[in-house]
Amino acid sequence: MDLVQYNPIFADHQIRKYKGTCLTCNKESYTVKKCTRCWVAKYCDRVCQSKDFKSHKDVCVRISLFEKAKDKIDPELRDLMFQRAGYLGLSCFLGSLPDRTIYELLGQRVAVIVQILEVSVLETSITVRVRDVSNAEAHMIFCIKDPLQVLNILLLVYVAQFILLLNVPLRCHSLMNKVNDIIIIHTNQVSFIT
């Protein structure tokens, strides 16, 4: 009979993987079950899940939509994105975007998926109101001069449900640490997900 050697790193990973706290009763357990739609919320049993359904429903739907959008990213783009130096990962939170200093000095980039809420066209730009998975909102301002590119962006914005921000630093934060504006100068800074 072979003896299995204890591996503390593996053991710690298994504990974190299976241990959880019920969102409804706050009981810690190794037998909590994850919501089958979003795979984030954890519950003791169906009773706790049904008690929390009203408050969890909107978040659950939003998380599952963003996860489906992640799956729709072109595999070639995903491979290319993570082969470039400086990419730290893929996120669904606007707060993950690096500020301009980190972006310029360290070259750190995070690809962020945002959902399109509303589009408005002005004479000099296209403004798209977007939100992340946590419901934080921002305005993406496309400052592109070429009329053909503007038409192309308009078509893509009206067809797409999500935008993948690829090469974008934050322009500014408000006092509440929320993103105000995201300025897009080149079309290679974004990818549209239908």
Side-chain angles (χ1 to χ4, degrees):
M1 183 170 141
D2 294 328
L3 292 176
V4 177
Q5 185 177 5
Y6 175 75
N7 182 335
I9 296 170
F10 179 74
D12 184 53
H13 176 267
Q14 293 295 65
I15 287 170
R16 277 191 270 123
K17 182 177 178 182
Y18 292 105
K19 186 176 182 180
T21 304
C22 176
L23 276 178
T24 306
C25 67
N26 293 323
K27 186 173 106 180
E28 248 184 51
S29 171
Y30 289 101
T31 59
V32 290
K33 293 171 179 51
K34 290 184 179 180
C35 170
T36 56
R37 178 186 280 165
C38 69
W39 296 99
V40 174
K42 298 177 182 178
Y43 300 101
C44 296
D45 51 28
R46 287 194 180 273
V47 174
C48 283
Q49 186 176 9
S50 62
K51 285 180 186 176
D52 190 47
F53 181 72
K54 283 185 180 180
S55 64
H56 175 64
K57 182 182 175 187
D58 292 337
V59 174
C60 183
V61 169
R62 196 167 37 254
I63 290 170
S64 62
L65 281 173
F66 275 82
E67 288 301 317
K68 287 177 185 174
K70 278 184 183 179
D71 294 340
K72 290 181 180 180
I73 296 173
D74 180 31
E76 289 178 19
L77 176 63
R78 186 186 296 261
D79 292 345
L80 179 68
M81 187 170 55
F82 293 112
Q83 287 172 359
R84 291 182 189 162
Y87 269 97
L88 302 177
L90 178 62
S91 174
C92 295
F93 295 96
L94 284 165
S96 299
L97 289 171
D99 67 13
R100 185 163 298 283
T101 308
I102 291 172
Y103 179 85
E104 289 174 355
L105 292 177
L106 302 177
Q108 293 180 343
R109 286 141 174 77
V110 176
V112 176
I113 295 176
V114 290
Q115 186 178 21
I116 298 170
L117 297 177
E118 181 180 42
V119 179
S120 58
V121 181
L122 304 171
E123 288 180 22
T124 58
S125 65
I126 301 169
T127 302
V128 181
R129 190 167 60 94
V130 296
R131 75 170 170 203
D132 69 3
V133 73
S134 70
N135 229 12
E137 292 188 12
H139 289 94
M140 290 179 60
I141 302 168
F142 289 85
C143 298
I144 297 170
K145 307 282 187 236
D146 183 15
L148 288 175
Q149 284 186 339
V150 170
L151 280 173
N152 190 28
I153 289 169
L154 274 174
L155 288 171
L156 290 169
V157 165
Y158 283 117
V159 171
Q161 295 176 347
F162 292 88
I163 298 175
L164 178 63
L165 305 172
L166 291 168
N167 212 1
V168 181
L170 293 180
R171 179 174 175 219
C172 54
H173 281 284
S174 67
L175 294 175
M176 300 297 290
N177 200 27
K178 293 183 180 176
V179 181
N180 289 334
D181 294 330
I182 301 167
I183 306 297
I184 306 296
I185 299 168
H186 303 287
T187 55
N188 65 350
Q189 291 180 287
V190 295
S191 178
F192 294 90
I193 304 170
T194 55

